[in-house]
């Protein structure tokens, strides 16, 4: 009992007196990983014109089967992305999945460089398989990074969320630049997907910088002390689940609200929103979905995330008898 009490005192002291995150290095690393987590998803959905109008469009020779792939490509890619992503959030190994993501993007670049007009059906299924592998790896990457950020103060978890939103804005801007500067859609796609490889390699390197930070090592030590205390208390799986259930009962309204926001957003974006057409707005049709679907959605999501750093409409705190506003 005395051991547990001394451990608890030491943990509280370390949490109050922690070293400074010099140059906000750990925060920036979390932002980089937030960008990397959603890079595959954003890359594939922003390349809507490349997949639907270039790779899966053979003009008058397009078969009914390939036309079906092209018409509903965003729906297929959404299912191929979200289901494995959710499933693989249960798995944890990290560094290997970033390498897998890089390799899949290399394959995507190779497919962009070669002529696939003779086998559009095979190209569609290879692309769909790539999306499954990419987003399975992304699910592992996401759960691992949120687990890593969980040992740090709350703002570092928000850094990953900000990185997620910035990732979408960054990819949307890269897509617009590629449309404007590349001589054709094929060259545009090559430069576009190579950008993803570069960002993922930066994220891979950034992971090795984390343990060099005194700030990160300090909070990792706190986590180890907490784990030791739990072992001394003989906390088994049932007691852990009971603790999670007690917490969930206090926050279920907030949790359900967040779930519904994501459910409704992803039901509309990108499939429905990207198919909205401009009638009278003075902008070229190639730029319409890039600007008013992808950039618009991600830019305002990023700004909304930033605003919450300074403006909180509702504040709440946990107390022994429940959640008080």
């Amino acid at each position: 009992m005395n051991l547990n009490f001394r451990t608890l005192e030491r943990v509280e002291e370390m949490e109050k007196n922690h070293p400074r995150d010099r140059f906000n290095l750990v925060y920036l690393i979390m932002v980089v990983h937030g960008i990397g987590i959603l890079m595959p998803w954003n890359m594939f959905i922003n390349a809507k014109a490349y997949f639907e109008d270039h790779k899966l469009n053979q003009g008058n020779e397009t078969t009914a089967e390939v036309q079906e792939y092209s018409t509903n490509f965003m729906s297929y890619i959404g299912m191929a992305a979200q289901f494995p992503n959710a499933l693989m959030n249960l798995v944890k190994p990290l560094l290997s999945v970033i390498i897998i993501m890089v390799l899949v993007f290399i394959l995507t670049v190779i497919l962009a460089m070669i002529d696939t007009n003779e086998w559009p059906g095979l190209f569609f299924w290879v692309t769909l398989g790539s999306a499954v592998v990419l987003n399975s790896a992304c699910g592992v990457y996401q759960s691992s990074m949120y687990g890593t950020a969980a040992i740090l103060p709350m703002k570092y978890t928000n850094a990953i969320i900000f990185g997620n939103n910035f990732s979408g804005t960054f990819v949307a801007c890269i897509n617009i630049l590629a449309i404007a500067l590349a001589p054709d859609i094929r060259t545009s796609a090559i430069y576009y997907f190579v950008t993803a490889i570069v960002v993922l390699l930066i994220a891979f390197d950034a992971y090795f910088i984390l343990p060099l930070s005194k700030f990160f090592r300090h909070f990792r030590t706190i986590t180890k002390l907490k784990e030791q205390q739990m072992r001394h208390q003989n906390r088994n799986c049932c007691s852990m689940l009971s603790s999670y259930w007690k917490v969930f009962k206090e926050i279920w309204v907030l949790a359900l609200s967040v779930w519904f926001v994501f459910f409704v957003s992803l039901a509309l974006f990108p499939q429905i929103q990207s198919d909205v057409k401009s009638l009278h707005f003075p902008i070229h049709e190639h730029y319409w979905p890039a600007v008013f679907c992808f950039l618009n959605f991600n830019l305002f999501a990023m700004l909304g995330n930033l605003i919450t750093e300074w403006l909180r409409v509702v504040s709440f705190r946990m107390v022994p008898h429940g959640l008080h506003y």
Side-chain angles (χ1 to χ4, degrees), residues 7-246:
T7 302
L8 183 61
E9 279 190 324
R10 185 182 174 192
V11 167
E12 290 178 347
E13 181 65 23
M14 291 179 71
E15 287 180 335
K16 289 178 182 176
N17 302 297
H18 58 76
R20 189 166 56 91
D21 181 10
R22 296 187 63 188
F23 308 112
N24 285 318
L25 179 64
V26 176
Y27 185 88
L28 292 174
I29 289 174
M30 291 300 164
V31 172
V32 167
H33 283 297
I35 294 170
I37 286 169
L38 283 191
M39 182 65 70
W41 164 248
N42 284 309
M43 279 287 175
F44 269 71
I45 63 173
N46 274 265
K48 173 182 169 71
Y50 162 73
F51 288 114
E52 293 183 356
D53 301 333
H54 178 59
K55 285 293 190 179
L56 296 173
N57 185 1
Q58 297 176 301
N60 296 330
E61 298 179 5
T62 303
T63 64
E65 181 183 15
V66 175
Q67 183 62 47
E68 157 68 13
Y69 295 155
S70 176
T71 302
N72 297 305
F73 180 79
M74 298 305 282
S75 295
Y76 286 121
I77 212 73
M79 290 185 288
Q82 298 304 327
F83 288 127
N85 183 290
L87 180 64
M88 296 303 290
N89 263 280
L90 303 175
V91 187
K92 292 294 180 186
L94 173 62
L95 294 178
S96 59
V97 302
I98 300 181
I99 296 299
I100 291 172
M101 293 162 76
V102 170
L103 292 175
V104 173
F105 269 115
I106 290 174
L107 172 63
T108 305
V109 171
I110 293 172
L111 289 174
M113 295 173 69
I114 61 179
D115 186 359
T116 60
N117 284 336
E118 299 297 322
W119 37 281
L122 178 59
F123 170 81
F124 171 80
W125 288 109
V126 169
T127 300
L128 217 60
S130 299
V132 170
V133 173
L134 265 177
N135 287 278
S136 296
C138 183
V140 179
Y141 187 12
Q142 180 171 282
S143 62
S144 297
M145 286 314 305
Y146 276 115
T148 301
I151 72 174
L152 302 169
M154 185 62 194
K155 81 172 200 174
Y156 291 86
T157 300
N158 195 53
I160 295 180
I161 298 172
F162 171 72
N164 290 164
N165 292 323
F166 180 79
S167 175
T169 306
F170 173 73
V171 171
C173 291
I174 292 295
N175 184 38
I176 293 170
L177 285 173
I179 294 171
L181 301 178
D184 56 67
I185 195 167
R186 178 188 171 194
T187 306
S188 167
I190 292 170
Y191 288 130
Y192 177 72
F193 289 122
V194 165
T195 303
I197 297 173
V198 173
V199 171
L200 288 171
L201 289 175
I202 291 172
F204 182 84
D205 292 335
Y207 186 81
F208 292 100
I209 299 174
L210 270 180
L212 303 179
S213 166
K214 185 178 179 180
F215 176 84
F216 180 78
R217 294 199 306 271
H218 179 87
F219 280 96
R220 189 169 60 181
T221 301
I222 292 175
T223 302
K224 290 179 179 178
L225 289 172
K226 289 179 178 178
E227 290 173 350
Q228 290 176 5
Q229 186 180 22
M230 290 174 65
R231 283 196 295 269
H232 283 298
Q233 293 174 345
N234 295 319
R235 299 290 296 278
N236 56 31
C237 182
C238 290
S239 65
M240 290 288 291
L241 290 175
S242 176
S243 298
Y244 289 143
W245 176 244
K246 287 179 181 177

